[in-house]
Amino acid sequence: MKFKTLLMMCAGTMSMATNGQTNQLRLTADNIDQIVAELTTDEKLHLLLGTGMPGEDNPHAMPAVGASDKLLPGSAGTTYPVERLGIPAIALADGPAGLRISPKRAGDDQTYYCTRFPSGTLLASTWDSAVVDSVGAAMGSEVLAYGCDVLLAPGTNIMRNPLCGRNFEYFSEDPVLAGKTAAAYIKGVQSNGVGTSLKHFACNNQETCRNTTDARVSERALREIYLQPFEIAVQEANPWTVMSSYNKLNGTHTAESAKLLTDILRGDWGYEGLVMSDWFGGKDAAAMVSAGNDLLEPGMRHQYARLEEALADGSLTMADVDRSVKRVLELVVRTPRFHGYKATNAPDLQRDAQIVREAATQGMVLLKNENKALPLNSKGKVALLGMGSYATVAGGTGSGGVNNAYEVSLAEGLANAGMTLEPGMREIYETALKAKPKKPDDLYWGAFLPEEILPETAFLQNAAADADAAIITFSRSSGEFADRAVSDFSLTATEDSLLRRVARAFEGKPVVVVLNVGAPIETASWCDVPGAILCAWQPGQEGGNAMADVLTGRVNPSGRLPMTFPMTLADVPSTPNFPMLEMTRKEMLEKFSGFAGATDTTALRRNIDYADYAEDIFVGYRHFDLAPQGVAYPFGYGLSYTEFEYGQPQAKIEGDKIKYNVQVKNVGSVAGREVVPVYASAPRGALTKPLRELKGYSKTGLLQPGESEMVEISFPIASLASYDPEAEKWVRDGGTYNFSSSPKVANVSVKID
Ligand code: GLC
C-alpha cells in the first residue's frame, strides 16, 4: 500500500496538534511559524544539524540523540528531534542504486536486505523515463517499507571525463538526458510519499580531493551544462531536498554559495525545498546556513559552536536561522515518520528483483553484431571466459553500494536461460575465483575486481572444439573517494591477450565481448576482434539473468549510449584539466581523498586542488561533433537485432513549444524498440554554438516486424536559448532551426522569430 493511501486513512484519526497534555503545542503542517516562534535558540541550532554518524564514539558527533544507528541502522544520518513540540527525528539513507542500510541488526534475527538496482549509467542508457520511473517507484517502496524518510539520491553530475570515480552512479554527458533521467527517478521514488535528495549540487565531476578542489567554470558552461540537469530535475520533479556538493565552485564552497543555493536554485528556478550538505561537506557552518544550506549533515559539535558564535557576533542572523529551521520542519511534516507510519520491514523484494531484471535489459547497449553473432542459441553450449563472467559487477562502491541478498553472475544467468557452460573454462574460472574471495570492506572501500587470468591455449582449443560460441566479460568497478586510474580505461595486457587467443581458437564461431563497466573503456584497439560487443553496464543484482535475456534474444537490446566512448583519453576535451592519476586505489585514498587537498593557496596543484573547465560548453558530443578525430562509439549509439526506418520528420511551433514527430517502422525480422532523440541545430548568432544539442527524446513501444509508430516529442522553445555571460541572461537568436533525430535521418527546418 502506497504511503499516500495510508496517509489518507490516518489523517482523520491523527492530530499532531495536541497530545495527552492540555493544549501543549505540537507540530503540524499548518503551525510551523508558531513552532519556530516557540523553539529556543538551542533547539533551532540543533535542528540545523544532523545527530551524527553511526557509532557513538565519533568524537565529532552531536549528542547522539536519535543518532542514525538508533533510528534506522545503517542509514547515513538523521535530523534532530524536539520531543516537547512533537518534532521527530527523520531518517536519511543512501543511495542511487537502492536503499543502503545494515542487512542485520544486533539481537534481531530478521534480515534487512534491499534490492540493488541497475547503476545510473544503465538507467540513462534506457532513454526511457517510464522504465526509470518504475525503478524509482520500486526503490521508493523499499525506502518506505524500511522506515526511511529521504533517499539520498539521485546523483546527476555531468560525466565530464570517463575517469570520474562516480560516473557509474551518474547519468550522462548531456544535460537534457541527465536531467530527464533524474526527474523520472525522483518522481518514481517520491510516488511512495518519501523524499529524495538531488545531488551533488554542483560540479562534483571528480573524486580527487573532492572536499577541497575548486571547479573553475565559465558562467555559460555552468548554466548550459553543469547546472541544467539540476534545473530540469527541479522543475520537472520537485525533489524534497537537494544536496550541495563537496567541492568549491569558482573559489567558493558550493555549500557556502548564496549565488548557487539561493539566487539560482531558489531565485531563478523557484525551488522551495531544503538544501542539505554532503556528509562533512562545506567549511564554515555559519556561511553555509547564510547561503541557504539549511541542514548540515551528519552534524558535528564544532558546527554547533560555530553557529552559536556567529549568532552572537551577528555574522549569522536569526532570520537566516529561522528560514532554514522552517525548511527543516517543512521537510519533517512531509515524512511518513511524522505521520506515524510504522515500517512494515517487508518490502516486495521478489517483485523488485523482476523490475531490476526488466529495466536492466532495457539499458544494455549493443555496440557490435557482425554476421549475427548475437543472439546466441539459448540451448547451445558456450565457453564463458573472463573473471567478470563468474564475479559479475552488479554496481559501484561507496555510498552508491547496496546491501543486497544476492547477485546473479553471467554464468548463473546463462545457465538459468538453459545454456550449457563449457565445463573446462567453468572449472578454471571457478577455481581461480575461490582463491580470491571478496572481502566485506571491498563493497564500501571499493573496486573489488579479481585479477584476470589467461587459460592455456590447449584448454582454449578444447573449449573451442566443444562449444558453439565464446563469451568474454571485461569488468570495471569504481566508487566514490577516488577517480579511476588512467590504466583502468584500457584493457590490461592479460585481457587483450585473452581476447586475441580466444578469437584465434574460436575461428569461425561467434566470439562475444560483454562490457560490465560503469563508464567508458577503450575499445578502438580491439573492437575488430570479436564478432559482437554488448555493453551491459553494472546491471544490478539480477545482472546475469538480464545479460542472458539479451544475449539469447529473449529481449532485443534497445539501450543507447548516454556518453561518448572516445578513441583515447587524450581525445577527451577535459583530459588536460583532469587529475589523470596512475596509482592504485589504495594510494589514491591515502594521498588524494577528501580532505587531502592543499590548504596553502600558494601551492595549489593543478587538476588536484583546482580544475579549469577550459573545454567550456564543449563536453562530450558537443566537442566530438566538431573534432577532426572520430570516436569509438558516439553518444546515442546502439544497435538492435532488428532494423528501423524513419519517415520524413515534421516539426512545428505549437504555442511556446516545438512539436517534432516522425514515423518509425520496424523493417527487420524481430520485435524491438527504437529510441528517437531530437537534436536542434541553431542558426549562426553572436554566441558560438555546438553543431547540435539534444532537446528531447522518446522510445517506441515494442514494435513487431512491419509495425510502425508515430513518435511525438515536444520541448519548450525557451530550451533553444543559450546563456550570454555578458548580458547575464538566456538569449535565443531568431532564424531557421534544424531538427533531426540522427545523421541518417532527414532533418526538418522551422523558422522561429
Ligand atoms: C557521501 C556521498 C554522498 C552520500 C553521503 C551520505 O560521502 O558524497 O553521495 O549521500 O556521503 O553517505
Side-chain angles (χ1 to χ4, degrees):
M1 178 187 298
K2 288 211 171 181
F3 169 62
K4 277 183 179 166
T5 319
L6 211 56
L7 184 56
M8 311 291 238
M9 291 165 61
C10 298
T13 59
M14 170 95 59
S15 155
M16 299 301 278
T18 58
N19 65 356
Q21 302 151 20
T22 51
N23 64 19
Q24 161 68 37
L25 183 63
R26 293 181 73 76
L27 177 65
T28 70
D30 306 319
N31 69 1
I32 289 176
D33 290 335
Q34 224 181 324
I35 292 285
V36 172
E38 179 66 25
L39 287 164
T40 65
T41 300
D42 172 72
E43 288 166 334
K44 289 181 182 178
L45 296 186
H46 273 98
L47 279 166
L48 302 183
L49 300 170
T51 56
M53 283 292 273
E56 312 300 332
D57 58 352
N58 177 334
H60 304 292
M62 293 303 296
V65 174
S68 51
D69 258 358
K70 290 199 182 102
L71 210 59
L72 177 58
S75 60
T78 76
T79 57
Y80 188 83
V82 182
E83 310 293 349
R84 71 183 184 88
L85 292 172
I87 302 171
I90 63 170
L92 317 170
D94 289 308
L99 183 64
R100 186 170 68 92
I101 57 171
S102 304
K104 299 195 187 304
R105 298 175 185 174
D108 179 343
D109 56 12
Q110 172 162 350
T111 57
Y112 298 83
Y113 288 114
C114 301
T115 301
R116 182 192 278 266
F117 292 84
S119 292
T121 26
L122 185 146
L123 296 182
S125 300
T126 66
W127 290 65
D128 188 335
S129 294
V131 165
V132 177
D133 189 307
S134 71
V135 165
M139 208 182 283
S141 73
E142 297 188 17
V143 171
L144 177 68
Y146 279 130
C148 177
D149 297 293
V150 177
L151 180 70
L152 301 171
T156 190
N157 293 100
I158 286 291
M159 294 183 180
R160 175 175 178 249
N161 190 284
L163 295 186
C164 173
R166 298 189 82 161
N167 277 340
F168 75 94
E169 57 187 335
Y170 296 159
F171 297 127
S172 176
E173 70 187 29
D174 176 83
V176 167
L177 182 56
K180 286 184 173 297
T181 304
Y185 180 112
I186 291 163
K187 284 179 190 167
V189 171
Q190 295 188 168
S191 68
N192 293 276
V194 294
T196 57
S197 194
L198 180 64
K199 67 188 187 180
H200 307 89
F201 191 54
C203 296
N204 173 205
N205 306 108
Q206 71 182 55
E207 287 301 287
T208 302
C209 288
R210 66 182 185 167
N211 293 70
T212 52
T213 194
D214 183 13
R216 297 177 179 174
V217 195
S218 76
E219 190 65 19
R220 186 177 179 200
L222 185 62
R223 298 282 188 148
E224 287 189 26
I225 304 295
Y226 295 98
L227 298 189
Q228 201 181 136
F230 294 89
E231 180 177 8
I232 292 168
V234 159
Q235 293 187 341
E236 291 189 9
N238 196 17
W240 286 16
T241 77
V242 169
M243 184 189 291
S244 56
S245 62
Y246 284 126
N247 54 282
K248 291 179 196 148
L249 172 58
N250 296 327
T252 303
H253 273 289
T254 59
E256 300 174 15
S257 168
K259 173 188 173 187
L260 198 63
L261 306 183
T262 298
D263 301 345
I264 295 176
L265 178 62
R266 288 160 167 140
D268 294 351
W269 301 349
Y271 182 64
E272 294 182 343
L274 172 136
V275 174
M276 70 173 82
S277 73
D278 199 338
W279 265 234
F280 308 105
K283 201 164 158 60
D284 179 329
M288 291 164 77
V289 173
S290 295
N293 193 114
D294 309 296
L295 177 63
L296 282 58
E297 285 292 346
M300 296 181 280
R301 295 181 198 286
H302 67 75
Q303 289 175 319
Y304 179 90
R306 175 65 188 120
L307 293 178
E308 216 174 21
E309 172 194 75
L311 259 186
D313 71 24
S315 58
L316 175 64
T317 68
M318 188 55 85
D320 282 350
V321 168
D322 286 353
R323 176 202 58 195
S324 290
V325 165
K326 189 172 173 188
R327 288 174 185 150
V328 171
L329 298 180
E330 284 166 346
L331 173 64
V332 169
V333 299
R334 299 177 80 168
T335 62
R337 192 178 300 275
F338 176 75
H339 288 280
Y341 172 75
K342 289 287 168 277
T344 63
N345 290 321
D348 191 340
L349 298 179
Q350 262 195 317
R351 175 205 64 186
D352 295 349
Q354 196 46 39
I355 291 170
V356 170
R357 178 170 176 171
E358 286 308 314
T361 61
Q362 295 299 308
M364 295 184 181
V365 184
L366 184 60
L367 297 177
K368 179 183 181 183
N369 191 22
E370 249 164 25
N371 310 321
K372 296 203 181 294
L374 288 177
L376 298 173
N377 165 8
S378 62
K379 299 303 166 223
K381 179 180 281 191
V382 64
L384 191 58
L385 301 101
M387 296 298 257
S389 293
Y390 299 85
T392 307
V393 176
T397 59
S399 58
V402 176
N403 293 307
N404 43 305
Y406 68 89
E407 288 169 4
V408 179
S409 69
L410 177 55
E412 290 158 338
L414 291 170
N416 294 342
M419 294 200 81
T420 306
L421 301 187
E422 194 280 325
M425 286 299 116
R426 178 171 201 163
E427 173 66 24
I428 288 174
Y429 280 98
E430 289 181 341
T431 307
L433 262 179
K434 284 197 188 84
K436 304 171 186 277
K438 195 181 275 193
K439 297 188 298 299
D441 67 349
D442 283 335
L443 291 175
Y444 189 75
W445 295 104
F448 168 79
L449 271 182
E451 211 168 301
E452 197 49 82
I453 59 173
L454 202 48
E456 291 301 315
T457 302
F459 283 99
L460 292 178
Q461 282 159 350
N462 289 344
D466 185 24
D468 309 313
I471 297 175
I472 309 171
T473 300
F474 295 137
S475 299
R476 293 292 182 271
S477 170
S478 69
E480 67 174 308
F481 308 123
D483 290 313
R484 295 166 65 190
V486 170
S487 56
D488 190 73
F489 181 72
S490 304
L491 291 192
T492 62
T494 306
E495 289 171 329
D496 191 77
S497 302
L498 174 66
L499 172 60
R500 295 178 194 283
R501 284 190 188 185
V502 169
R504 273 195 300 277
F506 281 77
E507 180 83 33
K509 290 184 177 178
V511 173
V512 179
V513 165
V514 173
L515 298 182
N516 171 215
V517 297
I521 67 166
E522 193 276 337
T523 53
S525 67
W526 55 266
C527 63
D528 59 319
V529 177
I533 304 171
L534 175 69
C535 183
W537 300 120
Q538 294 168 350
Q541 67 184 50
E542 283 284 332
N545 285 331
M547 289 163 160
D549 288 340
V550 171
L551 291 166
T552 61
R554 189 185 80 82
V555 176
N556 184 353
S558 61
R560 301 288 183 269
L561 292 181
M563 84 295 276
T564 307
F565 272 53
M567 302 284 275
T568 69
L569 280 174
D571 291 347
V572 179
S574 61
T575 289
N577 296 292
F578 196 81
M580 308 304 287
L581 299 174
E582 185 48 62
M583 58 182 69
T584 65
R585 183 175 170 83
K586 189 168 179 301
E587 287 166 338
M588 280 192 204
L589 292 178
E590 284 159 5
K591 290 185 187 163
F592 294 107
S593 70
F595 295 94
T599 46
D600 169 2
T601 52
T602 62
L604 293 179
R605 297 159 295 178
R606 183 165 164 274
N607 299 345
I608 301 289
D609 299 312
Y610 68 91
D612 285 325
Y613 286 38
E615 72 280 4
D616 202 69
I617 61 170
F618 295 98
V619 176
Y621 70 87
R622 287 173 167 80
H623 163 79
F624 289 108
D625 282 351
L626 299 166
Q629 77 278 32
V631 298
Y633 297 105
F635 174 83
Y637 180 84
L639 301 175
S640 170
Y641 292 150
T642 189
E643 290 82 38
F644 297 98
E645 258 175 21
Y646 284 65
Q648 171 61 40
Q650 309 290 326
K652 63 183 177 184
I653 296 172
E654 267 196 1
D656 64 353
K657 291 190 171 28
I658 294 290
K659 194 166 176 184
Y660 174 90
N661 57 47
V662 64
Q663 179 99 1
V664 177
K665 182 176 183 179
N666 180 350
V667 294
S669 57
V670 293
R673 302 187 64 197
E674 170 73 327
V675 169
V676 179
V678 54
Y679 295 89
S681 300
R684 275 198 171 293
L687 293 171
T688 52
K689 291 202 174 192
L691 206 57
R692 60 181 175 136
E693 296 180 282
L694 182 71
K695 293 301 169 190
Y697 56 89
S698 182
K699 193 166 192 176
T700 67
L702 184 65
L703 297 180
Q704 295 303 322
E707 199 178 356
S708 298
E709 179 176 323
M710 177 59 80
V711 173
E712 289 188 1
I713 304 163
S714 65
F715 53 88
I717 290 173
S719 70
L720 298 171
S722 301
Y723 189 80
D724 181 337
E726 301 306 319
E728 293 184 340
K729 64 178 181 178
W730 291 87
V731 295
R732 185 183 58 73
D733 297 312
T736 300
Y737 286 76
N738 287 318
F739 301 102
S740 172
S741 286
S742 85
K744 289 182 298 190
V745 178
N747 68 36
V748 56
S749 304
V750 179
K751 193 171 176 329
I752 309 174
D753 297 335

